[in-house]
Each structure stands twice: as structure tokens, then as C-alpha cells.
């Protein structure tokens, strides 16, 4: 399946613990859409979240976030793994 990186621009008040809870909700929901959330990164200072996801398409990746917690990504990019 294709890989995607999504970006959430959350802004001030972003806490890594809140992101961890949202990620757990993604993991509980992802099989409904044939998606596999692989890893995420949090930039608390910059107010950004980055998620690496294996999904059939960008729409399926976004649907998981929408159903799991409503925090949809601002951008989703197709990527290829290197090295």
C-alpha cells in the first residue's frame, strides 16, 4: 500500500499526551478503513503533529482521523520510504 505523511497544524496548547490518546483512537479505528498508522511525531513548540500512515489512499487515511477523534489533517502527502 502507499505511504502518506499527514500534517496537523494545531497551534498553541498542543500536548504530547493528548496526541498519544488520539493516536490510540486511530489504532482502534484504522481497520475499518484498511489503514495502518505506523508512527507519529509531535512538535509541541510549533503546534504540529506528523503521522506516517500506510493506506489505500489519502481519503482513507483522513477518514480514520475523522471517525476516531475528529482531528483531521490539514495536509496529506504521498511519500516513498528511503533507506
Amino acid at each position: 500500500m502507499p505511504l502518506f505523511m499527514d500534517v496537523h497544524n494545531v497551534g498553541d496548547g498542543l500536548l504530547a499526551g493528548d496526541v498519544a490518546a488520539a493516536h490510540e483512537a486511530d489504532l482502534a479505528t484504522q481497520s475499518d478503513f484498511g489503514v495502518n498508522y505506523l508512527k507519529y511525531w509531535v512538535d509541541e513548540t510549533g503546534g504540529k503533529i506528523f503521522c506516517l500512515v500506510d493506506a489505500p489512499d489519502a481519503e482513507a487515511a483522513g477518514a480514520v482521523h475523522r471517525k476516531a477523534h475528529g482531528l483531521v489533517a490539514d495536509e496529506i502527502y504521498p511519500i516513498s520510504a528511503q533507506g
Side-chain angles (χ1 to χ4, degrees), residues 35-53:
V35 169
N36 184 22
Y37 272 86
L38 302 169
K39 190 167 179 82
Y40 69 93
W41 297 265
V42 179
D43 175 2
E44 286 182 322
T45 304
K48 293 184 180 283
I49 306 164
F50 306 89
C51 303
L52 178 63
V53 57

Side-chain angles (χ1 to χ4, degrees), residues 21-33 35 37 64 67-68:
H23 180 68
E24 289 301 316
D26 288 332
L27 296 179
T29 306
Q30 65 186 3
S31 65
D32 294 350
F33 298 92
V35 169
Y37 272 86
V64 173
K67 182 177 179 183

Side-chain angles (χ1 to χ4, degrees), residues 52-79:
L52 178 63
V53 57
D54 190 13
D57 53 45
E59 292 75 22
V64 173
H65 284 329
R66 191 173 301 105
K67 182 177 179 183
H69 45 66
L71 302 172
V72 296
D74 296 295
E75 304 163 82
I76 302 178
Y77 299 99
I79 61 171

